[in-house]
């Protein structure tokens, strides 16, 4: 398994390398650090050396410089050539509680990538392995692909899996999110997803949480996050087949998260990341 890492000689590049290293450690995955340039290709041995020194000794990694019209096109081309399972980039942040404000590169990937994209918050410098995967699962078409990716990733890493469904109270009736109501759509959905995930992961701790608040931000804040967590979400139903398009709900979740996030393309067939 290989991860393409969008490398640039700045803080965002360091954030991307850190997240890719953490995600790869328990997977036996190899990192391909890709520096995209415009015009003629030129190698910089010092840049390559500095970049590879950021990768832990127990994670195999290579470095290359790729010529492309844009950073986005270069990373997607590299991922397709490598048959990569993941593209990892650093996302800009406003600096407040390490929340995301998506930069141009991340935004471009979130509208065009045929493979999952992982976004590292600014200042991400974790060294230890992941401790939990959280899958954001909704009732709209496409949740199955996200669940498949999440359960496979948690099983391979032997980490707990948390399934989260987010409900905005102001936009639904009380009975829709009342976990005490066995007939509520939210209750029925989370039970279905929990049963399916637990069947796939008999040796893994699987829990379910229904996050609710007056808005997405309040719901996300209320469920608690671990520093070693990775969140997996699906792209909008408006996306082209097997492409990513970040819908309004996922966009709100992204901007409220204090931890890294992976966005899975619509109808993504490959399960592992």
């Amino acid at each position: 398994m290989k991860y393409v890492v969008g490398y640039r000689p700045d803080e965002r590049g360091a954030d991307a390398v850190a997240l890719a290293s953490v995600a790869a450690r328990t997977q036996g995955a190899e990192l391909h650090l890709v520096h995209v340039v415009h015009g003629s290709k030129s190698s910089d041995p010092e840049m390559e050396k500095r970049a590879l020194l950021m990768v832990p000794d127990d994670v195999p990694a290579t470095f290359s410089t790729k010529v492309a019209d844009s950073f986005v096109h270069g990373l997607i081309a590299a991922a397709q050539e490598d048959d990569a399972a993941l593209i990892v980039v650093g996302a800009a942040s406003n600096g407040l509680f390490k929340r995301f404000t998506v930069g141009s590169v991340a935004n471009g990937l979130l509208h065009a990538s045929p493979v999952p994209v992982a976004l590292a918050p600014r200042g991400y410098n974790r060294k230890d392995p992941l401790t939990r995967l959280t899958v954001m699962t909704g009732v709209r078409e496409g949740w199955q692909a996200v669940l498949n990716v999440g359960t496979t990733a948690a099983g391979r890493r032997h980490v707990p899996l948390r399934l989260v469904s987010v409900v905005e109270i102001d936009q639904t009736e009380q009975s829709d999110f009342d976990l005490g109501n066995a007939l509520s759509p939210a209750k029925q959905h989370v039970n279905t997803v929990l049963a399916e995930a637990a069947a796939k992961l008999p040796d893994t701790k699987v829990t379910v949480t229904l996050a609710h608040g007056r808005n997405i931000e309040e719901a996300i804040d209320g469920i608690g996050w671990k520093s070693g967590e990775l969140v997996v979400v699906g792209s909008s139903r408006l996306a082209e087949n097997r492409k990513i398009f970040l819908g309004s709900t996922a966009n709100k979740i992204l901007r409220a998260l204090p931890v890294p996030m992976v966005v899975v393309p619509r109808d993504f067939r490959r399960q592992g990341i």
Side-chain angles (χ1 to χ4, degrees):
M1 183 179 291
K2 186 173 287 189
Y3 299 160
V4 164
V5 185
Y7 179 77
R8 43 201 296 175
D10 57 17
E11 292 181 356
R12 289 191 206 177
D15 296 340
V17 173
L19 175 57
S21 299
V22 168
R25 288 189 108 151
T26 51
Q27 285 289 284
E30 177 185 348
L31 304 186
H32 180 191
L33 278 54
V34 179
H35 180 232
V36 180
V37 298
H38 304 288
S40 60
K41 183 175 181 179
S42 59
S43 60
D44 184 342
E46 284 302 312
M47 177 186 292
E48 178 176 348
K49 182 179 179 180
R50 289 192 300 270
L52 291 176
L53 282 174
M54 296 180 181
V55 182
D57 292 339
D58 58 342
V59 177
T62 58
F63 179 97
S64 68
T65 299
K66 191 171 187 65
V67 177
D69 293 336
S70 71
F71 202 59
V72 170
H73 291 155
L75 293 181
I76 290 176
Q80 291 173 327
E81 291 168 6
D82 290 346
D83 191 24
L86 191 66
I87 296 176
V88 187
V89 294
S93 168
N94 61 9
L96 181 63
F97 306 122
K98 289 190 176 181
R99 304 304 170 97
F100 287 100
T101 56
V102 180
S104 59
V105 171
N107 188 61
L109 286 170
L110 291 176
H111 284 78
S113 177
V115 301
V117 174
L119 303 173
R122 176 172 292 174
Y124 188 83
N125 58 4
R126 184 176 177 81
K127 305 297 183 184
D128 297 326
L130 297 174
T131 57
R132 182 169 69 182
L133 260 72
T134 288
V135 172
M136 311 298 288
T137 175
V139 296
R140 291 175 174 173
E141 182 181 357
W143 67 266
Q144 186 70 56
V146 182
L147 180 63
N148 289 342
V149 168
T151 53
T152 302
R156 284 178 175 172
R157 291 176 170 83
H158 304 290
V159 297
L161 175 66
R162 179 172 66 159
L163 308 172
V164 174
S165 186
V166 180
V167 178
E168 290 183 87
I169 296 176
D170 289 346
Q171 298 181 9
T172 188
E173 297 180 358
Q174 179 78 20
S175 62
D176 287 341
F177 66 84
D178 182 7
L179 281 178
N181 179 1
L183 298 179
S184 73
K187 178 72 171 181
Q188 291 176 336
H189 178 65
V190 295
N191 280 343
T192 297
V193 175
L194 177 61
E196 183 169 333
K200 290 182 177 180
L201 301 171
D203 300 321
T204 298
K205 181 181 179 181
V206 182
T207 58
V208 64
T209 298
L210 187 62
H212 54 81
R214 290 169 295 181
N215 51 52
I216 294 293
E217 292 78 10
E218 184 177 285
I220 292 298
D221 281 340
I223 60 176
W225 300 96
K226 295 182 177 181
S227 61
E229 193 151 13
L230 181 66
V231 176
V232 182
V233 304
S235 61
S236 169
R237 66 189 186 284
L238 300 177
E240 296 178 28
N241 190 33
R242 302 186 192 178
K243 293 285 185 68
I244 287 177
F245 182 85
L246 204 61
S248 59
T249 299
N251 213 334
K252 291 176 183 177
I253 291 172
L254 168 63
R255 295 174 190 280
L257 280 175
V259 297
M261 171 173 165
V262 174
V263 186
V264 178
R266 180 187 168 203
D267 299 328
F268 186 64
R269 302 293 175 82
R270 185 172 179 171
Q271 294 187 353
I273 58 169

